[in-house]
């Protein structure tokens, strides 16, 4: 009988749930805003995913939880998102050696060993500059919807310079630039450059090794992808659904944990 | 550095901790009641930096108190934030070392400081072998208390100690002797200095021996044990009480090794610690490791006092020993020091505390981390925190990193 495994990633902004089977096929995935209780949202999403796949909870052999809310979620095991991300990405891109993950309030760079295990990692600390939340605040100050960013940025000819690292100060800097008559597209390009520059220096600190995979919600933003590619001087591989790669890793780990327990 | 042992539930408690509490309790009582006996006994009170040549001060019958050590106590007793806020309100930047800030806060508002703050000093002795901050910090204290400040300037060593550097420090020590003779109205007693040097050698060799037992697997001590038990080697170097305590500790640690008793249950990962302890989170932080079977078997911080005296006359020896302290040396020296500890103690990895307060300790850590990983092949984690100010500690990100780091040792 086919076995099923679930990975749950309760992030600071978004909850992601992935269902896989024994044959490593992704059978379904759901994501939504974490809101007040990431745990409740995750529970609901898991139930919904099982219902959509016509599975009862008993058919799930193992569940692994990751992300900031991992401790609260009832799972067979909780694993850090660094290990889960490494597992997910090395499954999707076996040639990857460097992962750049920009999520809601974290940006991290993970160095992968040839066997897909974590060799080293660097994360932002205490400051959310260079993360998804930073981009969100800036986009909201400019009244731009998230999906529009990429297109607007690609039309920019003279990106402005955002010098503040601090999210709050950067927002006031943007407001000053708007008052000074700078174009929305140029300011947004400046914002993307600022995120890319912060993450690029973190990547160099960890050590740059090909292939480089860019993942996390921010990898959906073409503006940042292009800025980061330019700054690093290497092409970046991006999975079609970069938001779910840690949840996928969690599901893969659930499968491994289940296998080693029998 | 003396913290209640009650909180240490998940560790094997040390029987000698009773002696430690008694020894340190007596020291604090003596220090805090100095005003009642200091003048009578003709024993001035000096506030000194942790890297000051106290053997010389003891030879002059000077009683030493350590602002850094009191600052660690303030932190373990959750008083640092209040004291730092006092100093910050007085104009001191949040970027200044939290030991300096909480000490200055305690000077301005002793009522907010545990132990009623520190007793008023008669003189100040600062040696910049540990950092440059102490110079300005002690200048502030000298102005506030209007007492003499003696400074020992130890040049940074990019390689080995040079003859010029040694002579430069020796000359200052000679000048310090003259200053101390004026302050205490006593001549330097050469015999007493030699005796102090000998007692200091003895206590140091006991601390070295105790630490060497941690090469055993399981290790008889974990980082919090090392941090708590380092208090006497810092403040009671050259004293009989200190020696008596370290004999007891050494015997107990040796017995643990003989009985194969580990400091933590089921040691499976052996780690080396770099930088000052995270005092406000001493137990909760290290518990994240011990509950996963990870034990810190040695460290560079409390190991800073496990260094044998340099040869020569007492003053020559002091000049070399205090100039050669590891914080006064090149990143290459410090990387080698960590590499040797990892090999000698058969460690599986290392953890560096990037300490917001301690710039000389922390600024070069990333360079050292890379070098050590390259040379030893073991993983190294960097944690961002502060030795005393809990406002610089973000628990969730720290927990995340620690978990991810420990998972690299598992088969995930």
């Amino acid at each position: 009988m086919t076995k099923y495994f679930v990975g749950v990633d309760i992030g600071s902004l978004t909850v992601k749930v992935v269902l896989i089977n024994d044959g490593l096929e992704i059978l379904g995935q759901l994501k939504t805003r974490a809101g007040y209780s990431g745990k409740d949202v995750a529970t609901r999403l898991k139930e919904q995913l099982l219902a959509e796949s016509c599975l009862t909870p008993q058919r799930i052999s193992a569940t692994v939880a990751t992300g900031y809310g991992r401790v609260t979620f009832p799972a067979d095991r909780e694993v850090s998102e660094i290990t889960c991300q490494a597992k997910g990405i090395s499954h999707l891109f076996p040639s990857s050696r460097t992962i750049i993950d920009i999520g809601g309030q974290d940006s991290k760079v993970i160095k992968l060993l040839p066997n897909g295990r974590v060799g080293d990692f660097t994360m932002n600390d205490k400051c959310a500059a260079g993360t998804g939340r930073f981009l969100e605040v800036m986009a909201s100050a400019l009244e731009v919807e998230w999906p529009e960013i990429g297109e607007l940025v690609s039309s920019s000819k003279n990106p402005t310079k955002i010098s503040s690292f601090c999210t709050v100060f950067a927002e006031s800097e943007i407001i000053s630039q708007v008052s000074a008559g700078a174009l929305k597209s140029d300011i947004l390009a400046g914002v993307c450059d600022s995120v890319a520059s912060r993450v690029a220096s973190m990547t160099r600190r960890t050590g740059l090794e090909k292939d480089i995979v860019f993942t996390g919600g921010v990898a959906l933003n073409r503006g940042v992808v292009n800025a980061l590619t330019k700054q690093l001087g290497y092409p970046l591989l991006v999975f079609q659904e970069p938001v779910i790669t840690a949840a996928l890793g969690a599901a893969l780990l659930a499968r491994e944990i289940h296998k080693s327990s029998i | 550095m003396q913290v209640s042992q009650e909180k240490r539930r998940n560790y094997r408690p040390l029987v000698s901790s009773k002696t430690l509490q008694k020894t340190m309790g007596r020291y604090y009582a003596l220090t805090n009641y100095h005003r009642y006996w200091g003048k009578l006994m003709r024993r001035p009170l000096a506030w000194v930096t942790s890297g000051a040549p106290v053997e010389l001060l003891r030879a002059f019958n000077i009683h030493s108190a350590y602002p850094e050590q009191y600052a660690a106590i303030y932190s373990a007793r959750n008083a640092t934030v209040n004291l730092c806020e006092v100093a910050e309100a007085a104009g001191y930047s949040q970027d200044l070392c939290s030991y300096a800030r909480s000490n200055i806060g305690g000077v301005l508002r002793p009522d907010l400081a545990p132990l009623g703050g520190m007793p008023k000093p008669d003189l100040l002795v600062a040696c910049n072998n540990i950092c440059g901050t102490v110079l300005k910090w002690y200048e502030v204290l000298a102005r506030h208390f209007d007492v003499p400040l003696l400074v020992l300037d130890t040049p940074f060593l990019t390689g080995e100690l040079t003859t010029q550097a040694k002579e430069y420090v020796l000359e200052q020590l000679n000048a310090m002797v003259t200053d101390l003779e004026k302050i205490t109205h006593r001549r330097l007693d050469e015999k007493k200095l030699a005796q102090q040097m000998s007692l200091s050698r003895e206590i140091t060799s006991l601390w070295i021996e105790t630490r060497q037992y941690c090469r055993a697997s399981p290790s008889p001590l974990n980082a919090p044990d090392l941090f708590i038990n380092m208090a006497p080697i810092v403040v009671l170097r050259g004293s009989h009480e200190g020696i008596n305590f370290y004999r007891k500790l050494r015997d107990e640690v040796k017995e643990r090794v003989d009985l194969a008793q580990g400091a933590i249950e089921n040691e499976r990962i052996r780690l080396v610690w770099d930088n000052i302890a995270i005092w406000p989170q001493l137990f909760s932080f290290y518990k994240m490791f011990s509950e996963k079977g990870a034990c810190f078997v040695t460290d560079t911080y409390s190991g800073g006092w496990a260094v044998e005296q340099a040869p020569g006359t007492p003053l020559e020896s002091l000049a070399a020993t205090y100039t050669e302290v590891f914080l006064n040396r090149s990143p290459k020296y410090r990387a080698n020091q960590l590499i040797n500890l990892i090999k000698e103690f058969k460690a599986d990895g290392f953890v560096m505390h990037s300490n917001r307060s301690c710039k000389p300790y922390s600024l070069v850590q990333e360079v050292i981390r890379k070098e050590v990983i390259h040379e030893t092949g073991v993983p190294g984690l960097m944690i961002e925190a502060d030795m005393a100010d809990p406002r610089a500690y973000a628990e969730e990100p720290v927990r995340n990193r620690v978990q991810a780091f420990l998972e690299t040792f598992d088969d995930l």
Side-chain angles (χ1 to χ4, degrees):
Chain A
M1 196 163 61
T2 316
K3 287 183 172 172
Y4 300 94
F5 306 92
V6 171
V8 177
D9 176 6
I10 307 176
S12 60
L13 281 180
T14 327
V15 175
K16 306 78 146 176
V17 181
V18 170
L19 173 72
I20 63 165
N21 64 12
D22 228 357
L24 302 177
E25 285 173 285
I26 301 175
L27 302 176
Q29 44 111 343
L30 287 172
K31 57 180 183 287
T32 193
R33 298 290 281 197
Y36 171 70
S37 169
K39 180 197 165 192
D40 293 346
V41 171
T43 309
R44 192 162 43 78
L45 276 194
K46 185 181 170 186
E47 283 167 4
Q48 193 185 330
L49 188 58
L50 296 191
E52 283 174 10
S53 314
C54 303
L55 290 171
T56 58
Q58 291 71 30
R59 295 297 312 278
I60 305 302
S61 298
T63 300
V64 162
T66 189
Y68 274 100
R70 66 186 180 277
V71 189
T72 56
F73 191 80
D76 296 281
R77 188 151 171 187
E78 47 113 348
V79 178
S80 75
E81 63 254 36
I82 292 167
T83 305
C84 289
Q85 200 63 270
K87 182 57 72 179
I89 293 296
S90 58
H91 170 74
L92 294 168
F93 302 97
S95 62
S96 58
R97 292 291 173 272
T98 308
I99 304 172
I100 299 171
D101 171 21
I102 312 185
Q105 63 177 36
D106 274 345
S107 46
K108 45 179 125 32
V109 178
I110 306 168
K111 203 171 174 176
L112 290 178
L113 300 173
N115 62 6
R117 303 268 301 268
V118 176
D120 195 6
F121 61 87
T122 313
M123 279 175 88
N124 66 319
D125 197 278
K126 294 185 202 86
C127 172
T131 66
R133 190 73 191 132
F134 180 84
L135 270 176
E136 268 200 359
V137 170
M138 302 315 143
S140 134
L142 291 167
E143 294 180 344
V144 172
E145 290 298 319
W146 185 256
E148 299 170 43
I149 299 178
E151 203 173 319
L152 266 172
V153 168
S154 63
S155 69
S156 161
K157 293 206 166 51
N158 296 302
T160 61
K161 185 109 186 126
I162 312 289
S163 53
S164 300
F165 271 153
C166 166
T167 308
V168 177
F169 288 161
E171 191 180 0
S172 9
E173 207 176 322
I174 282 173
I175 293 164
S176 314
Q177 291 181 353
V178 170
S179 318
L183 291 174
K184 216 177 238 191
S185 55
D186 288 342
I187 302 175
L188 270 177
V191 169
C192 292
D193 281 344
S194 151
V195 170
S197 123
R198 202 165 160 91
V199 177
S201 72
M202 199 194 281
T203 311
R204 288 191 201 97
R205 183 172 155 183
T206 316
L208 202 58
E209 201 182 334
K210 286 200 290 182
D211 288 344
I212 308 163
V213 177
F214 184 18
T215 196
V218 175
L220 286 168
N221 183 311
R222 268 180 32 226
V224 179
V225 176
N226 292 339
L228 194 55
T229 307
K230 212 163 117 190
Q231 296 212 20
L232 291 175
Y234 287 106
L236 301 175
L237 304 174
V238 182
F239 180 54
Q240 59 208 10
E241 285 281 356
V243 181
I244 64 147
T245 50
L248 170 66
L252 293 165
L253 281 167
R255 180 177 163 272
E256 284 183 15
I257 289 162
H258 175 73
K259 271 187 148 179
S260 63
S261 69
I262 43 176
Chain B
M1 287 165 219
Q2 193 193 22
V3 182
S4 162
Q5 304 270 312
E6 284 160 26
K7 291 187 193 163
R8 310 177 64 226
R9 269 171 243 128
N10 64 330
Y11 297 123
R12 192 184 298 281
L14 284 157
V15 180
S16 58
S17 69
K18 281 203 180 105
T19 314
L20 175 70
Q21 279 172 5
K22 225 163 115 185
T23 310
M24 292 307 293
R26 191 170 172 272
Y27 168 76
Y28 294 130
L30 260 179
T31 307
N32 279 39
Y33 291 110
H34 176 264
R35 62 183 179 279
Y36 297 117
W37 57 268
K39 278 221 164 63
L40 212 66
M41 309 277 288
R42 289 184 58 219
R43 292 193 63 187
L45 176 74
W47 284 16
V48 304
T49 60
S50 59
V54 279
E55 291 82 356
L56 183 61
L57 303 183
R58 292 185 75 95
F60 277 100
N61 234 358
I62 290 168
H63 185 76
S64 299
Y66 293 75
E68 291 158 63
Q69 202 240 353
Y70 271 75
I73 292 174
Y74 295 168
S75 178
R77 297 200 186 174
N78 300 320
T80 303
V81 174
N82 284 345
L83 294 171
C84 284
E85 280 171 358
V86 170
E88 285 155 19
Y92 295 94
S93 163
Q94 245 196 56
D95 292 323
L96 181 65
C97 156
S98 53
Y99 279 178
R101 264 180 298 142
S102 56
N103 171 253
I104 293 168
V107 167
L108 299 174
R109 286 289 305 274
D111 56 308
L112 295 178
L115 308 170
M118 292 183 71
K120 190 183 170 304
D122 299 304
L123 74 149
L124 303 158
V125 182
C127 178
N128 63 356
N129 54 1
I130 52 160
C131 71
T133 302
V134 294
L135 298 176
K136 294 293 157 192
W137 172 10
Y138 276 60
E139 278 176 18
V140 166
L141 296 175
R143 279 198 296 273
H144 180 87
F145 290 111
D146 194 20
V147 293
L149 164 62
L150 310 186
V151 171
L152 187 66
D153 175 33
T154 50
F156 183 78
L157 302 182
T158 50
E160 290 307 310
L161 175 67
T162 59
T163 317
Q164 297 97 305
K166 193 174 158 183
E167 277 170 9
Y168 171 66
V169 179
L170 185 60
E171 205 168 296
Q172 294 176 72
L173 281 171
N174 280 316
M176 193 179 268
V177 168
T178 313
D179 288 339
L180 291 173
E181 285 180 339
K182 277 188 201 145
I183 292 168
T184 60
H185 309 293
R186 279 195 182 100
R187 301 281 299 167
L188 171 65
D189 183 343
E190 304 267 0
K191 222 167 116 187
K192 193 160 180 192
L193 177 59
Q195 195 186 3
Q196 284 301 325
M197 296 295 286
S198 150
L199 288 170
S200 186
R201 268 196 300 278
E202 192 173 348
I203 200 166
T204 305
S205 72
L206 283 165
W207 184 230
I208 293 173
E209 190 187 348
T210 306
R211 302 172 67 83
Q212 292 292 332
Y213 284 118
C214 297
R215 288 184 299 183
S217 184
S219 169
L221 298 174
N222 187 16
D225 300 309
L226 293 167
F227 299 147
I228 289 168
N229 286 291
M230 69 186 273
I233 190 90
V234 179
V235 305
L236 291 169
R237 207 154 62 251
S239 77
H240 291 286
E241 307 96 281
I243 289 171
N244 289 341
F245 164 69
Y246 283 111
R247 280 199 188 121
K248 280 197 179 155
L249 178 69
R250 187 262 327 263
D251 292 347
E252 187 176 0
V253 169
K254 182 178 183 301
E255 193 183 322
R256 277 190 176 185
V257 174
D258 292 342
L259 298 171
Q261 285 181 339
I264 67 162
E265 279 174 27
N266 306 322
E267 173 190 297
R268 58 184 194 94
I269 303 165
R270 294 169 64 81
L271 301 171
V272 177
W273 174 260
D274 184 58
N275 214 311
I276 301 176
I278 304 174
W279 296 115
Q281 316 289 340
L282 191 61
F283 296 102
S284 61
F285 176 79
Y286 296 101
K287 196 177 161 196
M288 284 190 240
F289 291 87
S290 61
E291 66 190 8
K292 302 269 185 199
C295 182
F296 287 95
V297 296
T298 193
D299 74 307
T300 55
Y301 170 50
S302 63
W305 284 267
V307 178
E308 281 170 8
Q309 276 173 15
T313 65
L315 287 187
E316 281 170 359
S317 169
L318 289 176
T321 308
Y322 284 97
T323 307
E324 286 177 322
V325 301
F326 73 101
L327 279 180
N328 202 37
R329 307 195 74 157
S330 66
K332 182 81 200 153
Y333 177 91
R334 283 177 48 194
N336 283 338
Q337 185 190 24
L338 259 178
I339 291 165
N340 291 337
L341 287 177
I342 287 165
K343 288 181 181 161
E344 196 187 330
F345 286 76
K346 296 193 174 62
D348 306 301
F350 63 102
V351 178
M352 296 182 125
H353 164 203
S354 176
N355 181 351
R356 186 177 162 83
S357 274
C358 194
K359 278 80 177 176
Y361 216 143
S362 309
L363 280 177
V364 286
Q365 273 178 316
E366 189 53 35
V367 176
I368 298 173
R369 192 180 80 95
K370 287 228 171 76
E371 171 81 14
V372 175
I373 291 174
H374 180 74
E375 283 299 315
T376 60
V378 303
L381 173 70
M382 184 81 83
I383 291 291
E384 294 182 39
D386 189 274
M387 60 198 181
D389 191 343
R391 294 172 299 180
Y393 182 81
E395 178 151 334
E396 207 40 51
V398 167
R399 185 175 293 282
N400 227 340
R401 284 165 177 70
V402 170
Q403 184 173 349
F405 176 69
L406 293 177
E407 281 166 1
T408 62
F409 297 98
D410 292 332
D411 205 17
L412 286 178

Coordinates of all heavy atoms in Angstrom, one line a residue, chain A residues 114-143:
Chain A
P114 N 28.6 17.7 -1.0 CA 28.2 17.0 -2.2 C 27.1 15.9 -1.9 O 26.4 15.5 -2.8 CB 29.5 16.3 -2.6 CG 30.6 17.2 -2.1 CD 30.1 17.8 -0.8
N115 N 27.0 15.4 -0.6 CA 26.0 14.5 -0.3 C 24.7 15.1 0.0 O 23.8 14.4 0.5 CB 26.5 13.6 0.9 CG 26.7 14.3 2.1 OD1 26.5 15.5 2.2 ND2 27.3 13.6 3.1
G116 N 24.6 16.4 -0.2 CA 23.3 17.1 0.1 C 23.1 17.5 1.5 O 22.1 18.2 1.8
R117 N 24.1 17.2 2.4 CA 23.9 17.6 3.8 C 24.4 19.1 4.0 O 25.1 19.6 3.2 CB 24.8 16.7 4.7 CG 24.5 15.2 4.5 CD 23.5 14.8 5.6 NE 23.9 15.0 6.9 CZ 24.5 14.1 7.7 NH1 24.9 12.9 7.1 NH2 24.9 14.4 8.9
V118 N 24.0 19.7 5.1 CA 24.4 21.1 5.4 C 25.9 21.1 5.8 O 26.3 20.4 6.7 CB 23.6 21.6 6.6 CG1 24.0 23.0 6.9 CG2 22.1 21.6 6.2
G119 N 26.7 21.9 5.1 CA 28.1 22.0 5.4 C 28.3 23.2 6.3 O 29.0 23.2 7.3
D120 N 27.6 24.3 6.1 CA 27.8 25.6 6.8 C 26.6 26.5 6.5 O 25.9 26.2 5.5 CB 29.1 26.3 6.4 CG 29.5 27.3 7.4 OD1 28.9 27.5 8.4 OD2 30.5 28.1 7.1
F121 N 26.3 27.4 7.3 CA 25.2 28.4 7.0 C 25.4 29.7 7.7 O 26.1 29.8 8.7 CB 23.8 27.8 7.4 CG 23.7 27.5 8.9 CD1 23.3 28.4 9.7 CD2 24.0 26.2 9.4 CE1 23.1 28.2 11.1 CE2 23.9 25.9 10.7 CZ 23.4 26.9 11.6
T122 N 24.8 30.7 7.1 CA 24.8 32.1 7.7 C 23.4 32.6 7.6 O 22.7 32.4 6.6 CB 25.7 33.0 6.8 OG1 27.0 32.3 6.6 CG2 26.0 34.3 7.6
M123 N 23.0 33.3 8.7 CA 21.7 33.9 8.7 C 21.7 35.3 9.1 O 22.7 35.7 9.8 CB 20.8 33.2 9.7 CG 20.2 31.9 9.3 SD 19.4 31.0 10.6 CE 17.8 31.8 10.5
N124 N 20.7 36.1 8.7 CA 20.6 37.5 9.3 C 20.3 37.4 10.8 O 19.8 36.4 11.2 CB 19.5 38.3 8.5 CG 18.1 37.7 8.8 OD1 18.0 36.5 8.9 ND2 17.2 38.6 9.0
D125 N 20.6 38.4 11.5 CA 20.4 38.3 12.9 C 19.8 39.6 13.4 O 20.3 40.7 13.2 CB 21.7 38.1 13.7 CG 21.4 37.6 15.1 OD1 21.2 38.4 15.9 OD2 21.4 36.4 15.3
K126 N 18.7 39.5 14.1 CA 18.1 40.6 14.8 C 17.5 41.8 13.9 O 17.0 42.7 14.4 CB 19.0 41.3 15.8 CG 19.4 40.3 17.0 CD 20.3 41.1 18.0 CE 21.1 40.1 18.7 NZ 22.3 39.8 18.1
C127 N 17.8 41.7 12.6 CA 17.4 42.7 11.7 C 16.8 42.1 10.5 O 17.3 41.2 10.0 CB 18.7 43.5 11.4 SG 18.4 44.7 10.1
A128 N 15.6 42.7 10.1 CA 14.9 42.1 9.0 C 15.2 42.8 7.7 O 14.5 42.6 6.7 CB 13.4 42.1 9.3
A129 N 16.3 43.6 7.6 CA 16.6 44.2 6.3 C 17.0 43.0 5.4 O 17.6 42.0 5.9 CB 17.8 45.1 6.5
G130 N 16.7 43.1 4.1 CA 17.1 42.1 3.2 C 16.2 40.9 3.3 O 16.6 39.8 2.9
T131 N 15.0 41.0 3.8 CA 14.1 39.9 3.9 C 12.8 40.2 3.1 O 12.6 41.4 2.7 CB 13.7 39.5 5.3 OG1 13.0 40.6 5.9 CG2 15.0 39.3 6.1
G132 N 11.9 39.2 3.1 CA 10.6 39.5 2.5 C 9.8 40.6 3.1 O 9.1 41.4 2.4
R133 N 9.9 40.7 4.4 CA 9.1 41.7 5.1 C 9.6 43.1 4.7 O 8.8 44.0 4.6 CB 9.3 41.5 6.6 CG 8.4 42.3 7.5 CD 6.9 41.8 7.5 NE 6.1 42.8 8.1 CZ 4.9 43.2 7.6 NH1 4.5 42.8 6.4 NH2 4.2 44.1 8.2
F134 N 10.9 43.2 4.5 CA 11.5 44.5 4.1 C 10.9 44.9 2.8 O 10.4 46.0 2.6 CB 13.0 44.3 4.0 CG 13.8 45.5 3.5 CD1 14.2 46.5 4.4 CD2 14.1 45.7 2.2 CE1 14.9 47.6 4.0 CE2 14.8 46.8 1.8 CZ 15.2 47.8 2.7
L135 N 10.8 43.9 1.8 CA 10.3 44.2 0.5 C 8.8 44.6 0.6 O 8.3 45.5 -0.1 CB 10.4 43.0 -0.4 CG 11.7 42.8 -1.2 CD1 11.7 41.5 -1.9 CD2 11.8 44.0 -2.2
E136 N 8.1 43.9 1.5 CA 6.6 44.1 1.6 C 6.4 45.5 2.1 O 5.5 46.2 1.6 CB 6.1 43.1 2.6 CG 5.5 41.9 2.0 CD 4.6 41.2 3.0 OE1 4.3 41.6 4.1 OE2 4.1 40.1 2.5
V137 N 7.2 46.0 3.1 CA 7.0 47.3 3.7 C 7.2 48.4 2.6 O 6.4 49.3 2.5 CB 7.9 47.5 4.9 CG1 7.9 49.0 5.4 CG2 7.5 46.6 6.0
M138 N 8.3 48.1 1.8 CA 8.6 49.1 0.8 C 7.5 49.2 -0.3 O 7.2 50.2 -0.8 CB 10.0 48.8 0.2 CG 11.1 48.8 1.1 SD 11.1 50.2 2.3 CE 11.7 49.3 3.8
A139 N 7.1 48.0 -0.7 CA 6.1 47.9 -1.8 C 4.8 48.6 -1.3 O 4.1 49.3 -2.0 CB 5.8 46.4 -2.1
S140 N 4.5 48.4 0.0 CA 3.2 49.0 0.5 C 3.4 50.5 0.6 O 2.4 51.2 0.3 CB 2.9 48.3 1.9 OG 2.6 49.3 2.8
A141 N 4.6 51.0 0.9 CA 4.8 52.4 1.0 C 4.6 53.0 -0.4 O 4.2 54.2 -0.6 CB 6.2 52.7 1.5
L142 N 4.9 52.2 -1.4 CA 4.8 52.7 -2.8 C 3.4 52.3 -3.5 O 3.2 52.6 -4.7 CB 5.9 52.2 -3.7 CG 7.3 52.7 -3.3 CD1 8.4 51.8 -4.0 CD2 7.5 54.1 -3.8
E143 N 2.6 51.7 -2.6 CA 1.3 51.2 -3.1 C 1.4 50.3 -4.4 O 0.7 50.6 -5.4 CB 0.3 52.4 -3.3 CG 0.0 53.1 -2.0 CD -0.9 54.3 -2.2 OE1 -1.1 54.7 -3.4 OE2 -1.5 54.7 -1.2

